[in-house]
Amino acid sequence: MPLSLFLLVIGFCILNITLALIILNKDIETTRGMLYPRESETREVRALDGIWNFVRSDEANPTQGIRDGWFNDDLSKSMPTIPMPVPASYNDITTEQALRDHVGTVWYDRKFFVPRSWGQHQRVWLRFGSVHYEAFVWINGQSAIKHEMGHLPFETEVTHLLKYGAENRITVMCDNALIQTTVPQGKISEVANDQGVTIIQSYTFDFFNYAGIHRSVHLYTTPKTFIEEVEIKTNLSEDNSVGTVNYSIAVNGTAANEADNTLYARLQLYSREGILVANATSDSKLLGSLKVENVKPWWPYLMHPDPGYLYELEIKLYAAKEQLLDVYRLSVGLRTLSWNNTSFLINGKPVYFRGFGRHEDADVRGKGLDNALMTRDFNLLKWIGANAYRTSHYPYSEESMQFADQHGIMIIDECPSVDTENFNQVLLDKHKSSLEQLVHRDRNHPSVVMWSIANEPRTGQLNADTYFQFVANFTRSLDSTRPITAAIAVPSKDDKAGRHLDIISFNRYNAWYSNTGRLDMVTQRVINEATAWNYKYDKPVIMAEYGADTLEGLHLQPSYVWSEEFQAEVFSQHFKAFDALRRQKWFIGEFVWNFADFKTAQSYTRVGGNKKGVFTRARQPKAAAHLLRQRYFALGREMDKCNLPSDLFTYIADVGSNVQHDSSDL
Ligand code: GCB
């Protein structure tokens, strides 16, 4: 190569590296408050869920409602409204394609009464469980709060905006547009159609961009000076017999600003049976710890006969002279997490994850919180013997996190970064903010055992290294008690992010996206890829996604892609690989894609959505569910000596011990 060309190449490389370094690790705004709304002696909670009024804006004129001040009066005075349930995604509620595929802003409003009593000696807060993607909120025509980012809660004080003993109006504008600097990213373009031009939202992620007020809206009261934040960290003695609950409390209110140390907290910890097991009085910094003798640790499902054991922590905030200000209660599970380059341990015991990637998704309600569906899903998780799931590809409802705590289901808690590419400063700041909001919301859940900082980011790109170094280290600075992972799909040789993670997760679809239909090209490839990841980074490895689209009711023998037989056989070929890998201690988990069928954008590769579910969208098992159930319980039996359900194997024939299928086979 001539010298001038060589210098040019070197110059180009330096320029690229410099550009990569231009991403700065800036400080971001931190969340305050946001404790889950709970009633107590000092607090009242009221849900504003129900049927709201709804308007879809003109796509070509998304800011019309702001310019025309639709929030100043009832929406129905500005535009014809339709009824819209809250919580729910709005997309599938009507029969109109225009609403299903709408891009841009929509409006909601409703009226509500605030009791006269709320106007005295207390403060009132408005809290949204989540609105996707961006929300603007007015109370009685006055701006209350604005929040960007789906799947995460936000709240504001509305004491001064409310009319007490009178009717009030809440108005919400929600914008679902995703661009290159939103999390997740998308693209908006104008495309010619038969009527002229239309606006198209495109995105690379594989789930429908459901939007609207997805989770509950609450009004709640607090005293003037109140418990604003609680952070819990737990520990166990080496023999798991003595537990410690370290707490730190933050207070909001005038009394907190007085530098006279008059505030303190009394904490009481109750067992599940309601017996007081520990108590403490905080110092004036509202920090301290509780010691629990003969502790019952929090264990994952099937790892212990009494999984998901939770204590109740009662926190009472006092001012001088024993004046009780506020009471807040929360569930606490005591457990330890540790990890090294071969394993992940809970309470000192190595964990093998057997679970799912999931979605919050259902017919009609989309991503709207639905308690019936959530309860059914947890029953199915337990029926199938899973001990974990990843909240692919965004934070799930707070109610489901509480369920996971109670049932001992381990959560890999994922932020909304999916298919991230074109790394830039604005994106980095928002990505970090999504993790800050997530860690703040979920840090006290014993079920959360790992943070997932992204799904399938384009980690082969040049500045992925710097970008993920910042994201991973930032997450670690927020919580050093849990390991960090990301689900990666680039080949291990191209990846630049893994070195910043604690645990490597990879997604791969052998016999589906590669070598379609070839069941003989699965097992060795999975072994090779997992081994390559471990070899490159010397860290524990999880297969975070594998699977095959399966049309319920399609049966083909010999098995053929899309049939129920094929899904079962793809799983089985993976099981062989997982068992070979399990003998290498660093392989620590298998997650099927997906728990249930779910809706996606329209595509010729998707028949009514992604059909890789082990359960149908109506939450009924496909054939592979029964196979997976036998494996998950077999693993639980082998590793943790769990009991097997009596209906795990169906009676076949009394023809002697050679063909007997029961627990003695496992
Ligand atoms: C993936 C993605 C997931 C998709 C899945 C699929 O790798 O992480 O979001 O749904 O593949 O089925 O294509």
Side-chain angles (χ1 to χ4, degrees):
M1 186 189 293
L3 185 65
S4 57
L5 185 59
F6 178 74
L7 290 176
L8 196 70
V9 170
I10 294 286
F12 183 71
C13 289
I14 291 173
L15 180 70
N16 264 337
I17 289 164
T18 317
L19 280 180
L21 294 177
I22 284 173
I23 301 177
L24 300 173
N25 202 15
K26 292 199 203 147
D27 285 345
I28 55 145
E29 203 184 315
T30 51
T31 310
R32 285 192 61 175
M34 222 76 80
L35 285 176
Y36 189 76
R38 287 203 174 87
E39 288 178 334
S40 76
E41 297 83 324
T42 55
R43 295 167 174 241
E44 285 179 64
V45 180
R46 209 187 133 196
L48 294 182
D49 298 350
I51 302 292
W52 293 42
N53 310 303
F54 181 89
V55 172
R56 173 173 64 82
S57 311
D58 178 356
E59 277 187 352
N61 198 358
T63 52
Q64 178 193 4
I66 301 270
R67 281 197 318 275
D68 295 354
W70 289 358
F71 46 84
N72 283 325
D73 205 338
D74 296 355
L75 271 179
S76 59
K77 303 252 171 74
S78 303
M79 297 292 277
T81 62
I82 59 167
M84 186 57 67
V86 169
S89 302
Y90 58 73
N91 309 75
D92 291 345
I93 299 295
T94 70
T95 51
E96 294 193 7
Q97 179 255 322
L99 183 58
R100 186 195 64 201
D101 298 337
H102 178 66
V103 184
T105 57
V106 298
W107 290 74
Y108 291 77
D109 85 354
R110 70 161 280 173
K111 301 275 190 56
F112 59 97
F113 273 91
V114 177
R116 205 171 298 144
S117 61
W118 282 20
Q120 292 144 22
H121 317 299
Q122 55 196 333
R123 299 165 74 175
V124 187
W125 301 79
L126 173 67
R127 187 184 197 274
F128 288 78
S130 90
V131 176
H132 185 76
Y133 171 78
E134 194 171 7
F136 300 75
V137 183
W138 294 262
I139 295 284
N140 299 323
Q142 286 186 270
S143 172
I145 190 168
K146 168 180 171 329
H147 179 261
E148 177 182 340
M149 196 82 65
H151 321 286
L152 287 160
F154 54 96
E155 68 178 9
T156 187
E157 184 169 6
V158 290
T159 316
H160 54 294
L161 298 176
L162 292 173
K163 293 186 245 168
Y164 297 91
E167 198 176 48
N168 292 265
R169 185 183 58 250
I170 178 168
T171 314
V172 178
M173 185 183 86
C174 162
D175 188 352
N176 69 352
L178 300 178
I179 56 175
Q180 285 297 287
T181 51
T182 55
V183 179
Q185 291 167 302
K187 277 190 187 133
I188 304 262
S189 33
E190 276 190 345
V191 179
N193 69 357
D194 294 344
Q195 283 72 45
V197 284
T198 187
I199 294 166
I200 302 277
Q201 168 80 71
S202 59
Y203 42 88
T204 58
F205 56 82
D206 183 38
F207 53 93
F208 193 82
N209 188 34
Y210 276 120
I213 305 179
H214 278 161
R215 297 181 193 147
S216 290
V217 185
H218 287 113
L219 278 176
Y220 70 94
T221 67
T222 64
K224 290 236 150 59
T225 297
F226 68 97
I227 300 164
E228 187 176 39
E229 293 188 10
V230 182
E231 185 171 3
I232 301 293
K233 287 197 172 120
T234 67
N235 227 322
L236 298 174
S237 59
E238 215 158 285
D239 64 354
N240 288 345
S241 68
V242 182
T244 316
V245 179
N246 297 307
Y247 62 86
S248 96
I249 297 165
V251 167
N252 180 322
T254 46
N257 300 331
E258 294 167 9
D260 57 4
N261 293 347
T262 49
L263 287 183
Y264 62 96
R266 288 220 178 103
L267 293 94
Q268 304 209 296
L269 192 72
Y270 292 92
S271 69
R272 188 196 278 157
E273 298 71 31
I275 297 163
L276 180 67
V277 294
N279 61 66
T281 303
S282 76
D283 61 16
S284 60
K285 291 202 193 89
L286 303 171
L287 298 171
S289 64
L290 295 137
K291 191 174 247 182
V292 192
E293 304 287 345
N294 300 319
V295 67
K296 291 196 172 159
W298 188 93
W299 284 102
Y301 177 56
L302 300 183
M303 240 175 128
H304 188 272
D306 192 3
Y309 191 93
L310 296 175
Y311 292 85
E312 185 180 74
L313 181 62
E314 178 186 271
I315 306 172
K316 290 188 167 168
L317 179 70
Y318 288 90
K321 303 199 191 87
E322 298 283 293
Q323 186 202 345
L324 178 65
L325 297 178
D326 191 16
V327 185
Y328 189 81
R329 296 181 179 83
L330 76 161
S331 296
V332 173
L334 284 92
R335 52 123 182 87
T336 60
L337 299 180
S338 52
W339 60 96
N340 53 37
N341 56 352
T342 56
S343 32
F344 172 80
L345 302 98
I346 189 156
N347 305 333
K349 200 171 168 191
V351 169
Y352 186 77
F353 293 97
R354 38 182 199 273
F356 292 95
R358 295 185 58 195
H359 267 297
E360 284 189 333
D361 170 276
D363 202 11
V364 184
R365 39 232 182 285
K367 294 201 179 303
L369 173 68
D370 177 339
N371 287 325
L373 187 84
M374 181 178 73
T375 310
R376 168 83 179 171
D377 284 356
F378 272 88
N379 285 327
L380 291 176
L381 285 165
K382 291 173 75 174
W383 174 82
I384 211 163
N387 65 8
Y389 63 83
R390 176 168 61 111
T391 66
S392 38
H393 297 311
Y394 39 79
Y396 289 5
S397 71
E398 291 160 278
E399 291 77 6
S400 71
M401 305 307 286
Q402 293 159 11
F403 247 74
D405 291 344
Q406 287 157 16
H407 293 272
I409 301 294
M410 291 178 284
I411 305 288
I412 299 181
D413 210 357
E414 189 158 282
C415 78
S417 160
V418 41
D419 292 10
T420 309
E421 59 182 353
N422 301 330
F423 306 108
N424 60 69
Q425 185 70 50
V426 181
L427 186 72
L428 173 66
D429 295 346
K430 281 190 201 156
H431 192 163
K432 282 164 60 185
S433 168
S434 78
L435 278 154
E436 192 280 331
Q437 294 179 54
L438 177 64
V439 172
H440 188 93
R441 190 193 78 162
D442 286 350
R443 60 192 172 179
N444 293 336
H445 288 288
S447 56
V448 175
V449 298
M450 213 180 288
W451 303 113
S452 170
I453 59 174
N455 180 71
E456 301 198 355
R458 310 308 188 213
T459 56
Q461 292 182 3
L462 185 67
N463 44 9
D465 191 351
T466 318
Y467 185 93
F468 280 97
Q469 180 182 14
F470 289 158
V471 176
N473 286 345
F474 174 71
T475 311
R476 232 168 247 127
S477 75
L478 299 169
D479 178 19
S480 59
T481 68
R482 294 173 174 94
I484 291 167
T485 194
I488 302 181
V490 304
S492 60
K493 65 175 175 33
D494 300 338
D495 173 66
K496 295 184 170 61
R499 67 193 186 96
H500 305 299
L501 307 174
D502 299 306
I503 290 172
I504 306 292
S505 300
F506 75 98
N507 300 345
R508 192 68 61 218
Y509 289 87
N510 289 291
W512 190 257
Y513 293 125
S514 51
N515 305 312
T516 313
R518 296 306 305 238
L519 292 164
D520 58 339
M521 295 183 189
V522 175
T523 310
Q524 196 53 48
R525 283 172 168 75
V526 172
I527 295 173
N528 292 350
E529 183 163 13
T531 308
W533 280 108
N534 176 258
Y535 182 76
K536 180 163 180 184
Y537 291 121
D538 190 24
K539 290 176 184 172
V541 176
I542 289 173
M543 187 156 199
E545 287 183 23
Y546 70 96
D549 279 271
T550 305
L551 202 60
E552 63 183 286
L554 179 67
H555 290 280
L556 294 166
Q557 186 64 29
S559 76
Y560 192 86
V561 284
W562 289 93
S563 69
E564 296 209 22
E565 286 75 11
F566 185 76
Q567 186 181 35
E569 287 185 37
V570 166
F571 284 13
S572 180
Q573 295 304 89
H574 280 82
F575 298 162
K576 290 179 197 161
F578 299 150
D579 282 348
L581 287 164
R582 282 196 300 129
R583 281 177 220 119
Q584 323 266 349
K585 296 285 178 238
W586 47 260
F587 189 76
I588 62 162
E590 52 190 87
F591 288 77
V592 175
W593 190 258
N594 185 283
F595 176 75
D597 293 347
F598 59 92
K599 183 156 168 157
T600 61
Q602 299 189 66
S603 139
Y604 52 76
T605 60
R606 298 283 177 257
V607 185
N610 187 310
K611 299 283 186 208
K612 294 196 185 69
V614 167
F615 297 98
T616 64
R617 207 174 185 213
R619 272 45 179 193
Q620 296 300 340
K622 297 183 191 168
H626 299 279
L627 185 80
L628 192 65
R629 183 171 184 237
Q630 290 174 355
R631 174 168 177 86
Y632 280 179
F633 273 102
L635 293 176
R637 177 78 175 174
E638 182 197 298
M639 292 172 197
D640 304 312
K641 311 277 166 294
C642 75
N643 290 328
L644 298 179
S646 56
D647 63 348
L648 190 60
F649 296 100
T650 309
Y651 178 86
I652 303 170
D654 185 8
V655 289
S657 57
N658 338 357
V659 290
Q660 192 185 339
H661 285 280
D662 64 17
S663 57
S664 60
D665 272 0
L666 298 176

